[in-house]
Amino acid sequence: MTVFSQGICAWNNHYCWPGSCGSNGLTQDCTCAPGFNKVSIYGAAIDSGNTTCQPTQKPSILTCDTVAVAPNGDKTRAMSSDASTACEHLQDIYGNFQPSSMEFTMTAELTITISNASRPAFIVESNFGVSDSTIHIIKSSVDGMICIFTF
C-alpha cells in the first residue's frame, strides 16, 4: 500500500492557485477559482500530493498554414475556400505524391482573467498561454484506405 502525505499550499510550491486551500491549508481542500479545474497529480481517488488549478477555457485557433512536402521538395499548401485563414475553411490537399513531411504553422489566442484580489501575496505576477498542441491529419487514399496521423 502506498501512502502519500497531504500537500500543503505554500509560497514555495504555489499549489492550488488560482484558488484557495481552505482553513487547513491542505491541497486536498483546494477550491479553484471560476474558470479553472482542480488537477491532482497522484489521481483524483487519492487526492493528495501536488494539486494545481488548470484553465478550463481552450484557446481559439485563429489561423492555420498546412503544407505537404514531397521528397523532391515540392510543396502543396492547403488552400482556403474563401479569403479566410481560419482552419475550418481549409480545403483538402490533393496530391500525386507521398509527402515526406508536413509543415504546420498556427496562431492561437487565449485570454484568462483572474481577479487580483484572489492572488496570494507570494504570487506577484502570472502568465497563461498555449504550451503545446496536437495536430491530427487524416490521409485518405484513392482506394479508400484511411490513416490518421497525430503530430
Side-chain angles (χ1 to χ4, degrees):
M1 178 171 132
T2 305
V3 177
F4 297 100
S5 61
Q6 292 295 323
I8 297 175
C9 295
W11 66 269
N12 61 343
N13 57 25
H14 300 215
Y15 298 141
C16 193
W17 190 85
S20 63
C21 282
S23 60
N24 67 8
L26 298 178
T27 59
Q28 73 176 0
D29 297 323
C30 173
T31 302
C32 295
F36 290 82
N37 277 339
K38 177 178 168 181
V39 178
S40 298
I41 305 300
Y42 294 117
I46 299 170
D47 197 18
S48 63
N50 302 339
T51 302
T52 64
C53 294
Q54 295 293 318
T56 56
Q57 180 179 337
K58 296 181 188 259
S60 299
I61 299 174
L62 304 175
T63 62
C64 294
D65 187 16
T66 305
V67 180
V69 182
N72 66 358
D74 286 347
K75 295 183 177 186
T76 300
R77 176 171 270 110
M79 302 304 291
S80 175
S81 57
D82 56 21
S84 174
T85 57
C87 302
E88 62 268 13
H89 294 279
L90 295 181
Q91 300 287 320
D92 292 343
I93 297 175
Y94 297 96
N96 190 12
F97 62 90
Q98 290 293 326
S100 59
S101 65
M102 298 291 293
E103 298 174 356
F104 305 99
T105 305
M106 301 183 325
T107 58
E109 180 178 79
L110 176 66
T111 303
I112 302 287
T113 304
I114 301 171
S115 166
N116 284 338
S118 68
R119 188 178 290 156
F122 55 81
I123 297 179
V124 177
E125 142 184 348
S126 62
N127 296 294
F128 293 90
V130 179
S131 60
D132 63 326
S133 62
T134 302
I135 298 171
H136 303 281
I137 297 291
I138 300 171
K139 177 185 173 189
S140 178
S141 63
V142 291
D143 63 3
M145 189 168 135
I146 293 177
C147 295
I148 299 175
F149 300 94
T150 301
F151 301 92

